[in-house]
Amino acid sequence: MTRKLTAKQRKFANEFIKTNNAYKSAIKAGYAKGTARNATKQLLENTGIHEYIIKKTENVEKHESDEADEVLKNVYRIAAGKPIKRDFVQTDNLKKEIALRGVKKESKPTATMRSGYETNETTITPAATKEQVAAAELWFKLNGKLKNDSKEVEEQKIRKLEAEADVAEQKARDARSGGQDVGKQFDKMFERLKEDSDK
């Protein structure tokens, strides 16, 4: 069972979440400067405050996770060609021209003027094919099922990285032993390897 926090303790916890500075948080919560310095350790060790901070952060994590889940659901719906809700503004250009008659071109139309020629519309239809393809590509990339490179290209990249690592290790050994001439030779060899891999 969690202990009920005082208003000052709750204010301290909220400020601490924002700033991660116990002393400043204690002062903002209403503790005097002299007592704030000594009280910060006790406040941070208070189990009620600690549980309050954990609960707050868990709520944020859950909310953010729920939003991320909703984004992923939408990506999947679009990729699968399922109907999705779309909100957009429909503009009647003839009414717009009449409403803006006499208004200077530099000035922006007011909300009242826009309401005469703009209407909010909603449709529930599948996304365009181009959007479906892009969403499917993203979905497969997120799941690790789509790679842009062929197996051969990936193997070449791995070989290149391994060669660069070998060269770097040799340079480090040479630098420790004082052999700068060998380091120059490796620089040349590294350049040749790089040129070969770019071909």
Side-chain angles (χ1 to χ4, degrees):
M1 186 172 147
T2 58
R3 287 181 22 211
K4 190 165 173 115
L5 298 180
T6 66
K8 258 186 183 178
Q9 289 172 329
R10 186 180 312 281
K11 175 84 171 158
F12 168 80
N14 288 329
E15 289 299 323
F16 185 73
I17 290 169
K18 290 184 219 170
T19 65
N20 200 29
N21 184 314
Y23 177 70
K24 288 181 180 178
S25 299
I27 290 172
K28 274 206 162 187
Y31 292 91
K33 286 184 181 181
T35 57
R37 205 171 297 286
N38 300 327
T40 54
K41 186 175 187 293
Q42 293 169 337
L43 289 168
L44 290 174
E45 290 175 353
N46 180 309
T47 54
I49 291 173
H50 184 70
E51 289 173 2
Y52 176 83
I53 291 171
I54 288 172
K55 188 175 178 182
K56 280 277 202 185
T57 55
E58 284 175 350
N59 287 342
V60 170
E61 286 175 1
K62 182 179 180 339
H63 177 72
E64 289 298 316
S65 177
D66 290 346
E67 284 183 2
D69 289 346
E70 190 59 35
V71 168
L72 288 174
K73 286 177 191 174
N74 284 333
V75 168
Y76 182 79
R77 282 186 208 120
I78 292 168
K82 295 184 177 188
I84 56 170
K85 181 181 173 187
R86 294 175 177 266
D87 297 314
F88 60 95
V89 175
Q90 183 75 33
T91 303
D92 185 327
N93 288 325
L94 184 59
K95 287 182 180 179
K96 181 179 180 180
E97 193 175 314
I98 293 168
L100 297 180
R101 204 174 278 161
V103 177
K104 293 181 182 175
K105 291 197 185 240
E106 303 85 44
S107 61
K108 291 185 178 180
T110 64
T112 308
M113 293 169 122
R114 283 196 316 272
S115 68
Y117 58 85
E118 290 180 348
T119 55
N120 293 324
E121 302 286 332
T122 301
T123 62
I124 299 177
T125 59
T129 305
K130 186 176 180 179
E131 291 177 34
Q132 289 179 27
V133 169
E137 186 178 329
L138 175 60
W139 183 260
F140 287 128
K141 280 182 182 176
L142 290 171
N143 286 305
K145 295 177 183 173
L146 180 68
K147 295 182 176 141
N148 289 333
D149 296 330
S150 67
K151 188 175 181 180
E152 293 82 22
V153 171
E154 285 186 21
E155 287 173 358
Q156 287 176 355
K157 285 181 179 179
I158 291 169
R159 280 198 311 270
K160 181 181 177 187
L161 289 172
E162 288 172 346
E164 289 173 353
D166 291 343
V167 169
E169 285 177 19
Q170 186 60 44
K171 280 184 179 181
R173 277 189 237 118
D174 289 343
R176 283 191 292 270
S177 66
Q180 280 81 15
D181 292 336
V182 176
K184 288 179 184 175
Q185 291 173 356
F186 272 103
D187 282 340
K188 290 177 184 175
M189 184 179 81
F190 181 65
E191 287 299 318
R192 276 186 264 136
L193 281 172
K194 196 173 179 183
E195 288 171 10
D196 290 344
S197 67
D198 289 341
K199 290 180 183 176

